């Protein structure tokens, strides 16, 4: 039976929902135990959150001042030491996981399975390629530790209600000193986080300018949604890059996704294919976005969006 170790993603003392999504992935291949590894300067609160996830067998908490910031070079050797005896090591396919997992795989001397989107069994997985135009099946060899990243948009977060024990783990590992934390620059917003929001309103090149993007923010605020953007809008300087949705941005799976002034390039569609309901507003009735939209409105967004906002009350 498979024994899985999930590397917890956290920031500012809070566990990221991506960890619970990795638990759902591990459940899908019938793991005999699913343990969560929390690396932090003070892991107590984060470990308590992880212990409450349904399906978690045990939480391993490693307290070390060097873990105050998520540096892949510092985390990786500790993960390798903690992974002894585990058949699988999973991390979310987020910026955090994409940075850390390759180092863990390299130190273990194994190939990484990236972007797991569907589980066939403990050794076989499906993942998208060619910007989501094709799905391939990847089979990892049995007998060696499998290191994989989980496409979080493809798995629902495991629920709460767990009561897993928390164990303190001491690791005698030499940590590298060539990497150090300088600062974290991130946008601050009262709106929901783009990657975990249930509702997202995105604007594209059709919005026309950074000033016009106010119409997107206004609708998002009206329905309590996060704000996203296409790469074209980001490249044009309408909004910062941390709002970009798509193959080279964030892969998301909200319950509602509104694409406004977005034509629907395949790179953008890759980032939203797991969304529940997709609403498209575009003046071009032949835009590719309408091929995947559940609801489509053809017309001038500067007329339709205010009308929609007014109808919402």
């Amino acid at each position: 039976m498979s024994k899985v170790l999930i590397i917890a993603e956290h920031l500012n003392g809070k566990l990221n929902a991506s960890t619970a999504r990795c638990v759902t992935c591990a459940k899908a291949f019938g793991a005999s135990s699913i343990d969560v590894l929390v690396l932090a300067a003070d892991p107590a609160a984060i470990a308590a959150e992880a212990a409450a996830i349904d399906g978690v067998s045990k939480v391993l908490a490693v307290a070390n001042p060097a873990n105050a910031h998520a540096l892949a070079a510092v985390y990786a050797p500790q993960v390798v030491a903690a992974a002894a005896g585990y058949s699988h090591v999973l991390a979310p396919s987020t910026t955090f996981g994409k940075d850390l997992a390759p180092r863990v795989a390299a130190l273990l001397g194994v190939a990484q399975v990236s972007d797991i989107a569907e589980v066939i069994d403990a050794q076989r997985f499906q993942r998208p390629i060619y910007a989501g135009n094709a799905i391939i099946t990847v089979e990892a060899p049995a007998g060696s530790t499998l290191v994989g990243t989980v496409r979080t948009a493809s798995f629902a977060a495991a629920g709460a209600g767990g009561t897993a024990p928390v164990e303190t783990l001491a690791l005698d590992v030499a940590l590298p000193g060539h990497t150090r934390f300088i600062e974290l620059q991130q946008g601050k917003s009262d709106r929901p986080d783009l990657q975990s929001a249930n509702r997202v309103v995105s604007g594209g090149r059709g919005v026309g300018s950074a000033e016009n993007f106010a119409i997107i923010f206004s609708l998002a605020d009206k329905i309590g949604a996060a704000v996203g953007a296409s790469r074209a809008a980001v490249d044009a300087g309408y909004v910062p890059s941390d709002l970009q949705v798509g193959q080279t941005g964030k892969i998301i799976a909200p319950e509602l996704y509104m694409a406004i002034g977005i034509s629907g390039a395949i790179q953008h569609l890759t980032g939203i294919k797991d969304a529940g309901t997709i609403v498209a507003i575009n003046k071009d009735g032949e835009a590719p976005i309408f091929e995947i939209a559940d609801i489509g409105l053809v017309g001038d967004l500067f007329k339709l969006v205010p009308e929609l906002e007014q109808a919402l009350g």
Side-chain angles (χ1 to χ4, degrees):
M1 293 290 285
S2 305
K3 189 177 179 184
V4 181
L5 181 67
I6 295 172
I7 309 165
E9 178 177 5
H10 57 88
L11 181 65
N12 298 328
K14 298 289 185 181
L15 189 69
N16 191 291
S18 62
T19 305
R21 294 176 184 269
C22 288
V23 172
T24 300
C25 176
K27 286 181 180 180
F29 52 81
S32 60
S33 68
I34 302 173
D35 297 346
V36 175
L37 176 65
V38 178
L39 301 169
D42 182 5
I46 304 163
E49 284 189 73
I53 299 173
D54 180 52
V56 172
S57 306
K58 179 173 58 178
V59 177
L60 303 175
V62 179
N64 190 325
N67 294 332
H69 304 286
L71 300 178
V74 175
Y75 273 25
Q78 297 177 82
V79 173
V80 171
Y86 287 91
S87 60
H88 296 66
V89 177
L90 299 180
S93 190
T94 57
T95 303
F96 167 80
K98 290 176 180 178
D99 188 27
L100 176 58
R103 288 179 177 268
V104 174
L107 290 173
L108 288 171
V110 298
Q112 176 182 311
V113 178
S114 301
D115 229 16
I116 296 170
E118 187 172 335
V119 175
I120 299 174
D121 57 38
Q123 302 301 133
R124 293 184 299 159
F125 310 92
Q126 290 189 332
R127 57 160 301 199
I129 59 171
Y130 300 126
N133 281 320
I135 303 295
I136 62 168
T137 298
V138 180
E139 183 171 355
S144 59
T145 304
L146 185 152
V147 177
T149 57
V150 177
R151 185 183 174 93
T152 53
S154 299
F155 297 90
T163 55
V166 177
E167 295 183 6
T168 300
L169 184 64
L171 299 174
D172 185 15
V173 180
L175 301 180
H178 65 277
T179 301
R180 58 193 174 93
F181 177 82
I182 302 296
E183 66 174 328
L184 174 63
Q185 295 185 354
Q186 59 182 143
K188 294 183 179 180
S189 174
D190 293 331
R191 296 183 179 89
D193 174 65
L194 176 58
Q195 207 145 21
S196 59
N198 289 326
R199 301 171 183 174
V200 174
V201 178
S202 281
R205 191 195 302 273
V207 176
S209 69
E211 291 73 24
N212 288 347
F213 228 83
I215 199 171
I216 304 297
F217 287 110
S218 179
L219 178 58
D221 289 342
K222 190 74 173 181
I223 63 174
V227 173
S230 68
R231 178 169 180 171
V234 170
D235 287 348
Y238 300 168
V239 289
S241 60
D242 59 346
L243 297 186
Q244 184 174 321
V245 173
Q247 184 182 14
T248 54
K250 290 181 170 67
I251 308 296
I252 59 175
E255 295 175 6
L256 172 66
Y257 184 77
M258 301 186 71
I260 300 173
I262 295 175
S263 63
I266 187 61
Q267 289 83 2
H268 186 79
L269 301 186
T270 297
I272 62 169
K273 75 178 190 65
D274 294 307
T277 299
I278 298 175
V279 177
I281 299 176
N282 200 296
K283 66 180 180 180
D284 180 8
E286 301 299 318
I289 190 70
F290 288 117
E291 295 179 10
I292 68 160
D294 299 287
I295 300 171
L297 296 174
V298 179
D300 183 356
L301 70 88
F302 296 106
K303 178 176 182 293
L304 292 175
V305 173
E307 288 179 355
L308 177 60
E309 190 174 335
Q310 185 176 10
L312 290 170

